[in-house]
Amino acid sequence: MSTLYVFASAAQPVFDIARVIEDAQADGWDVCLGLTPTAARWLAGSLDGLAALTGHPVRWDDRLPGEPEVWPAASAILFAPASFAAVNQWALGTADTFVVEVVAEAVGLGIPMVAMPCVSAAHVRHPQFERSVETLRGAGVSVVVPQEPDPGFPWPLALSAVRERIVVG
């Protein structure tokens, strides 16, 4: 079974993450969930249930030296919702959170990745955002920027982009 790391930042769509995990599992993925520290705080009351749903511990912090890796290796990574800060940190290589550290390293490992930012229109117009998106795309990341106006976060589009990157097997 192929393993999909689903990473999420603190943005409103993170509250739908259980449904997304279920949809990915229905596609045949073994899912591991990683969160930014703020997203983990937002979902604190759901973390045990999310771990039970995936069959893996939910991670938001680095392992301590000597601790074993608790997740299987990733076949692909979906980072959605990806906040303005996370997209820029990833592109700049300033890996100060667990999920940004993993996706930054995954660029060098050639792991197929899809990012779907969840940012305001003002953030989209910020010059660094455009540079960051282009940097990530140049590194082989599929960055899907939803078009406004969209009344909801387009999770099906995110999962479809993952399907286009890799065949589950």
Side-chain angles (χ1 to χ4, degrees):
M1 180 178 286
S2 297
T3 301
L4 176 66
Y5 289 3
V6 174
F7 289 163
S9 298
Q12 189 66 31
V14 78
F15 293 108
D16 296 326
I17 204 75
R19 182 177 52 87
V20 175
I21 291 168
E22 290 169 342
D23 290 348
Q25 289 170 328
D27 280 348
W29 292 101
D30 177 23
V31 178
C32 296
L33 177 62
L35 302 168
T36 62
T38 303
R41 193 169 60 248
W42 286 12
L43 297 176
S46 304
L47 295 177
D48 289 341
L50 292 166
L53 178 62
T54 64
H56 302 285
V58 177
R59 297 197 46 202
W60 62 88
D61 205 358
D62 292 315
R63 294 179 288 128
L64 294 174
E67 282 186 335
E69 176 56 65
V70 294
W71 285 359
S75 305
I77 298 173
L78 170 62
F79 195 163
S83 69
F84 177 75
V87 169
N88 290 322
Q89 290 168 342
W90 183 5
L92 294 170
T94 56
D96 66 345
T97 66
F98 165 73
V99 295
V100 175
E101 181 179 310
V102 173
V103 293
E105 182 178 35
V107 166
L109 294 172
I111 296 171
M113 288 184 283
V114 172
M116 183 171 282
C118 182
V119 298
S120 70
H123 281 138
V124 169
R125 289 189 297 271
H126 190 286
Q128 185 56 52
F129 182 75
E130 183 177 337
R131 285 191 294 269
S132 292
V133 167
E134 289 308 311
T135 296
L136 293 172
R137 286 179 174 155
V141 178
S142 293
V143 182
V144 181
V145 180
Q147 300 300 309
E148 288 190 82
D150 190 334
F153 193 71
W155 285 111
L157 180 61
L159 290 172
S160 176
V162 171
R163 278 186 223 102
E164 290 175 13
R165 290 297 309 255
I166 188 168
V167 177
V168 178

